[in-house]
Structures are given as structure tokens and as C-alpha cells.
Amino acid sequence: MTIEEIQNEIIDEFSMFEDWEERYQYMIDLGKDLPLIEEQYKTDSNIIKGCQSKVWVHAEMQDDKIEFTADSDAIITKGIIAILIRVFSNQHPKDIIDANMDFIDQIGLKEHLSPTRANGLVSMIKQLKMYAIAYQTQLK
Amino acid sequence: MFNVDDIRKDFPILSRKVNGKPLVYFDNAATSQTPQQVIDVIVDYYSNYNANIHRGVHSLSQEATDKYEHARQKIQKHFNAKHAHEIIFTSGTTHGINLVANGFSSLLKKGDEIIVSALEHHSNIVPWQMLCERTGATLKVIPMNQDGELIISDFDNLLSDNTKLVFVNHISNALGTINPIEHIIKQAHLYGAAVLIDGAQSCPHIKPDVQALDVDFYVASAHKMCGPTGQGMLYGKESWLKKLPPYQGGGEMIAEVTFEKTTYADLPHKFEAGTPNICGGIAFGAALDYMNSIGFDTIAQYENELLEYATQELLNIDELTIYGTSQQKTSVISFNLDGIHPYDVGTILDKLGIAVRTGHHCAQPIMDFYCIPGTVRASFAFYNTKAEIDALVAGVKKAKMMLA
Ligand SMILES: Cc1ncc(COP(=O)(O)O)c(C=O)c1O
């Protein structure tokens, strides 16, 4: 699936929720299911800065696609990363770099997008895109 | 008679909604809310007599200067300082601490020692580390125990003839512990060391008497005591303030300037370079008037009731741990649900319109002591109610249900 197709799928899922509670409960459950990063990659250099909770991300190139794994010590944060990873993992670096992130707004998580918010969704997106840029330059 | 429903009418913000729910504001230790009486003073300043102070011949400037200096006297009276010029207007606690730390740069040498406590806010650690780097002095730390209290016998042992400065907060912002500053000041003085007390968290709850305490420096922020942000005060004993060199150069702080030499103005202006936050100073005075009109004994008594009620209700929740269990505490409760990150709890509470603080509260060493990433901190003010505490308890239960 393309990034856009996955985003639409997520928007569809979230459209079924009536209120914030259902949305958050879903994210919490996503967080619990997030495939964990291997312990060896939970290093300080893999921590995303700007988050009140700790977030680790590891990226690996498989063929010409990037595979992301991640973890966090806070469950809601983990749910948010789970969504991002679902969108970005197994995609070409260029598609990740070009991806439009408006869907965050459409699934009712706009409040997490403020650059000053302590959980730093913005930092997470930036970091994932940075990995894509790094791999893209390697590919060239 | 204290009536919280009447008090709440003074605070316009308390009737707003957040995320569709009535606001429950329990982040008072970070910043308190502002009563209409203080808002009116701010509006009046900008509407009627906004002018620069101390240098105008015109009436408006004179009016602003009078009000500003009158506010200084109110602060002097509130803290029972001997002289008005012992009150220096600052931008807040952090500014006051840096002013003193900077002043001591020229008074310290290698081998001198500074004692701080394990309960300090970052703003009370970093300036001393910087001072030590500049002067070669060393930093010693008073340790804490499991209840979040300073181990005072260890403090007594740290003191020596090398001790030049002792810095302790009156009340810990992360845990609410009231520190035995009377003892600390007395002991430090036996060795000729100066003592600075960080009153950021105490001044919203109690009325310190700087002469009775015999403290050398005392700092506070207006925004934690119903006043505006970006405003605070430093009290310093006259003899110390005369000894310390100025912090910043600029207008207001000079008596005479030639390119060869500048002579500094007298106290307090020596430490007040540039145009100050004039409105902020005046509003600070108004905030003190407001709090004194309620009375600090009344405030302390009511807040204590809230603390006891909230502690009891929260402890009824299984697998909830409170950090900071000293008998000497103000209305701050730092807690965690076991195995759940404080950020998650704070996020759910926010959705319910309940404002708490989560994280390390600028006191990372305390969190390291307990081996936790942070806490949820609910801090109560005299305008909070038991019904709001019930809402918090229900919110924490809901968060637990969703997150566990
Ligand atoms: C104990 C303590 N010291 C210092 C500060 C810093 O105050 P300000 O940011 O107003 O300078 C705070 C504020 O959180 C505090 O709680």
C-alpha cells in the first residue's frame, strides 16, 4: 500500500469513534501492540529529543525500503508512534520525505501537532523523515 | 469568614472550560491564577499612567514612579524587611538567584564551598555550578531521605569554615516539603556563611519574616502568588547588597558616567539596570494586597484541609504511590500510578479539563533518587475546592482504567 492509502485506512478507522475516549483507548491499544524495538537499539543515540516521555526509534534498510521499529516508556506516545510507523515503515525513502501529514489533523490528534507540546509528535515526524533523507542520499 | 465560592468569583479564568469540561486548575505550583483585583490594576496602569519612571519631569512619570516605589514598600512590609531599598525588583526567582550567584563570583576563591540541597529546582542548581566553574569553589549537597526530607544532621556535618554560601528552597516544588530553614540559617551563620532561601514555593502559602529568619537573601516570583509573570523580588540584607557588585550595566543603575569611570547608583537602583517591568511591580504589590486581604493564616489552614482530603482520597486508589510524605508539607501532591507513565495520566486528565503538571518538575535529581521518570503533580491553591479534588480522583481512576 502507498503511504496515502494507509493514511486513508487510518482515517476510516478513526471515523468510527464517537469521542476522545474511544480515540485514546484505540491509541493505547495500538501502543500495547506496537512491535518492540530490539533491546540493543534502545540506546541514548536512538532517543528522540523533545519528548517528555522517552522515545527510541531504529531504522534499517531492507532492499530499497526503510523498516522502522520503536518504543516509548509512555503508552499514549507509543500509540502515536505506532500510527506513524504503520504509515512510514516499508516505504521508499523518497515517499517518506514527500509524505503529507494532514491526516493527523483528520484523526483528531491535531492537539499533538503543536511544536511546543511536550510529547513532540513533530519531533517524531522530523526524526523519521531525517532517517529517510539519510538513506535517500545513500541510495544516490 | 472564608467562603471559597466568593473567592472563586474573583478569578475570571476559573469559570472557563477546557476540552469541553469545566477547568480544574491544579497546576498552581507552576503559576497561580490572577484575581480581577490584580487584572484591574494592570489595565489601570496601561489605561491611565503608563510612563517611564525615575527620569521624567512630567506628571505621568511621577505618578508611575510613586506607584512603583509604593509597591516596593508593600513588598518590604509584607516580608518585614528593615529598609525598602533592601527589596530589589527582579524578573523572578531565577533572576534573583543569578543576581546573587553572579555577585559572589568576585567574593569566592578556590577551596571555598557552597552547599545546596538535594531538593532544589534546576534554577537553583545551575547558577551555582556555573559559579563554581568560574571561581574554583566546590558544591556540596545536603542529601534527602525516602520521605523527601533533607537529612539535617548531614547538613550540620557539611558545614565548615570553608562554607561561604548555603542555598536551599524554603519549600520543594516537586514534593511540597517544608524545609527547616530556621535551623539551616542559624547553623550556617555560626560559620559565617551567607544563606539564600528560594521562596518561590513558600510565598504563595506563608508569609516569611526576613528579619525574624535573619536570612541574608530571599527570592520570590509574583506569578506564583496571584501576580503577573516576569516579575519577582530579591530581598538582601543591606550589608550584603552593598558588598555585591552590580549584575547588569545600563540605565537606572548609575550615578555618574564618564568614559573613564562610572559610579553606581545607591540601592536598590544599583541592581535595577534598564527600564523595569513597571506594571509588573505595581501589580505584584496589588497581588500581595489581595492575598493579605484574605490572610495567610486562613489560606494555609484551608489549603491544609485540601491537602489532607486529597491525600486521603488519592491513597484510596490501589497501586498509587505518593512521593513526598513529610509531615511538614504544603498543598502539593506528587504521585504515580504504579507501572504507568505520568505523561499518560496527565494526558487523560487534560482531556477531562484537569490541569496538572507531569514530568520531572525541573528537579531531575529528586526523580533519580526515587528511580522514576517523573510524577503527576497536583498543587492546590486557596481557590480550589473539595469538589475539584473529587473530579481529580475520578479522573485518575478513569486514567487507570484506560491505561492499565
Ligand atoms: C522552587 C522554585 N525555584 C525557582 C523557580 C523558578 O521560578 P521563576 O521561573 O519564576 O524564575 C520555581 C518555579 O517553578 C520553583 O518552584
Side-chain angles (χ1 to χ4, degrees):
Chain A
M1 277 205 280
T2 66
I3 287 182
E4 206 180 326
E5 282 164 357
I6 300 171
Q7 289 182 345
N8 284 333
E9 199 178 74
I10 297 172
I11 293 170
D12 273 353
E13 285 167 23
F14 270 80
S15 69
M16 297 182 308
F17 302 134
E18 306 254 310
D19 56 16
W20 73 268
E21 241 179 282
E22 290 182 0
R23 266 198 325 269
Y24 272 69
Q25 194 63 63
Y26 184 66
M27 281 201 298
I28 290 163
D29 295 340
L30 284 178
K32 288 177 183 162
D33 291 342
L34 178 71
L36 293 184
I37 191 169
E38 283 178 54
E39 215 42 51
Q40 57 173 340
Y41 297 127
K42 276 169 103 172
T43 58
D44 280 356
S45 60
N46 277 344
I47 288 185
I48 297 184
K49 300 227 161 53
C51 304
Q52 200 181 84
S53 43
K54 281 200 174 119
V55 179
W56 297 268
V57 173
H58 173 67
E60 233 169 80
M61 208 55 175
Q62 297 282 357
D63 300 325
D64 54 354
K65 292 175 176 176
I66 304 180
E67 205 168 285
F68 289 109
T69 47
D71 198 1
S72 169
D73 55 353
I75 197 82
I76 295 173
T77 313
K78 230 164 128 174
I80 292 173
I81 314 172
I83 294 170
L84 290 182
I85 285 191
R86 187 166 144 200
V87 170
F88 283 150
S89 207
N90 284 313
Q91 299 290 345
H92 293 289
K94 181 162 187 324
D95 296 338
I96 297 172
I97 298 166
D98 293 342
N100 177 322
M101 299 305 286
D102 287 352
F103 85 105
I104 299 277
D105 193 354
Q106 292 178 49
I107 60 176
L109 296 182
K110 191 178 165 192
E111 70 227 40
H112 292 276
L113 267 185
S114 155
T116 52
R117 204 180 158 92
N119 85 337
L121 177 55
V122 170
S123 320
M124 289 184 220
I125 295 173
K126 205 156 109 196
Q127 191 61 36
L128 296 180
K129 289 201 172 203
M130 290 284 275
Y131 275 116
I133 291 168
Y135 281 120
Q136 173 77 355
T137 27
Q138 274 180 26
L139 281 179
K140 274 180 188 161
Chain B
M1 255 294 286
F2 180 80
N3 181 329
V4 70
D5 295 327
D6 287 343
I7 296 276
R8 287 178 71 82
K9 289 185 195 133
D10 291 338
F11 294 81
I13 207 168
L14 295 180
S15 55
R16 73 160 276 186
K17 290 196 163 158
V18 168
N19 290 322
K21 310 278 190 329
L23 166 67
V24 173
Y25 188 77
F26 283 161
D27 195 18
N28 294 289
T31 284
S32 56
Q33 293 304 342
T34 319
Q36 191 63 49
Q37 288 85 335
V38 174
I39 298 171
D40 287 346
V41 167
I42 294 169
V43 172
D44 181 43
Y45 171 81
Y46 283 110
S47 311
N48 293 312
Y49 62 98
N50 175 30
N52 212 326
I53 52 172
H54 295 138
R55 38 190 139 183
V57 292
H58 60 84
S59 308
L60 229 49
S61 169
Q62 195 52 51
E63 216 175 295
T65 306
D66 287 347
K67 289 254 173 52
Y68 191 64
E69 290 307 320
H70 185 53
R72 194 190 304 273
Q73 286 163 10
K74 283 182 190 173
I75 297 168
Q76 174 204 354
K77 196 161 154 252
H78 179 82
F79 289 96
N80 194 31
K82 201 168 183 181
H83 309 288
H85 61 249
E86 290 176 319
I87 303 295
I88 311 295
F89 280 120
T90 62
S91 69
T93 301
T94 305
H95 178 192
I97 293 169
N98 277 282
L99 191 157
V100 176
N102 188 73
F104 268 90
S105 289
S106 56
L107 303 179
L108 294 184
K109 56 180 193 316
K110 204 167 153 54
D112 287 343
E113 290 173 1
I114 302 172
I115 299 177
V116 298
S117 90
L119 289 174
E120 295 313 306
H121 188 277
H122 290 168
S123 74
N124 213 357
I125 301 173
V126 183
W128 311 126
Q129 286 173 334
M130 289 164 62
L131 176 60
C132 286
E133 275 169 28
R134 284 196 299 268
T135 59
T138 43
L139 204 61
K140 305 262 165 170
V141 182
I142 315 169
M144 60 186 271
N145 65 20
Q146 277 297 328
D147 284 325
E149 295 165 331
L150 294 179
I151 304 173
I152 284 303
S153 53
D154 284 13
F155 166 68
D156 294 347
N157 292 332
L158 285 177
L159 281 167
S160 77
D161 290 335
N162 294 330
T163 312
K164 293 294 176 295
L165 281 164
V166 178
F167 299 97
V168 177
N169 56 36
H170 196 162
I171 291 176
S172 151
N173 68 306
L175 305 177
T177 314
I178 305 174
N179 292 314
I181 63 165
E182 294 82 357
H183 174 88
I184 289 171
I185 294 164
K186 220 174 258 154
Q187 289 302 112
H189 283 171
L190 292 180
Y191 292 86
V195 181
L196 164 67
I197 300 295
D198 172 351
Q201 293 297 336
S202 49
C203 293
H205 309 288
I206 50 188
K207 191 170 175 167
D209 179 330
V210 292
Q211 288 191 78
L213 287 168
D214 193 27
V215 67
D216 302 291
F217 302 98
Y218 199 98
V219 285
S221 296
H223 70 94
K224 293 186 198 283
M225 37 195 320
C226 300
T229 57
Q231 180 63 47
M233 75 97 206
L234 157 71
Y235 160 79
K237 273 185 192 161
E238 185 183 43
S239 53
W240 273 113
L241 292 178
K242 281 190 167 155
K243 216 178 291 178
L244 294 190
Y247 180 40
Q248 290 177 320
E252 290 286 0
M253 54 81 71
I254 33 94
E256 217 178 329
V257 179
T258 66
F259 279 104
E260 287 70 45
K261 186 170 167 50
T262 293
T263 38
Y264 303 125
D266 289 337
L267 292 173
H269 308 295
K270 170 180 157 187
F271 292 107
E272 296 180 350
T275 300
N277 183 354
I278 302 164
C279 177
I282 296 167
F284 189 5
L288 290 178
D289 286 345
Y290 178 79
M291 292 192 78
N292 279 310
S293 75
I294 298 168
F296 277 81
D297 288 343
T298 308
I299 287 173
Q301 193 187 344
Y302 178 71
E303 287 175 343
N304 220 32
E305 254 175 62
L306 292 181
L307 175 68
E308 273 175 29
Y309 181 69
T311 305
Q312 198 182 329
E313 293 296 307
L314 282 171
L315 285 176
N316 278 335
I317 300 174
D318 287 338
E319 290 156 14
L320 182 144
T321 308
I322 291 181
Y323 299 91
T325 43
S326 172
Q327 291 303 306
Q328 302 298 320
K329 247 185 92 160
T330 44
S331 48
V332 169
I333 301 184
S334 241
F335 67 93
N336 275 332
L337 288 166
D338 298 350
I340 297 177
H341 199 283
Y343 178 78
D344 287 327
V345 180
T347 304
I348 302 291
L349 291 177
D350 175 54
K351 282 284 168 194
L352 297 165
I354 303 168
V356 293
R357 175 126 187 234
T358 66
H360 53 55
H361 317 299
C362 298
Q364 198 111 45
I366 300 180
M367 302 305 137
D368 292 347
F369 176 85
Y370 289 118
C371 298
I372 48 176
T375 66
V376 180
R377 182 186 71 184
S379 48
F380 315 118
F382 57 91
Y383 43 72
N384 289 129
T385 65
K386 286 188 180 167
E388 289 180 310
I389 289 169
D390 293 340
L392 170 72
V393 171
V396 173
K397 283 182 181 160
K398 178 174 212 113
K400 190 179 169 197
M401 208 178 63
M402 289 179 74
L403 292 162

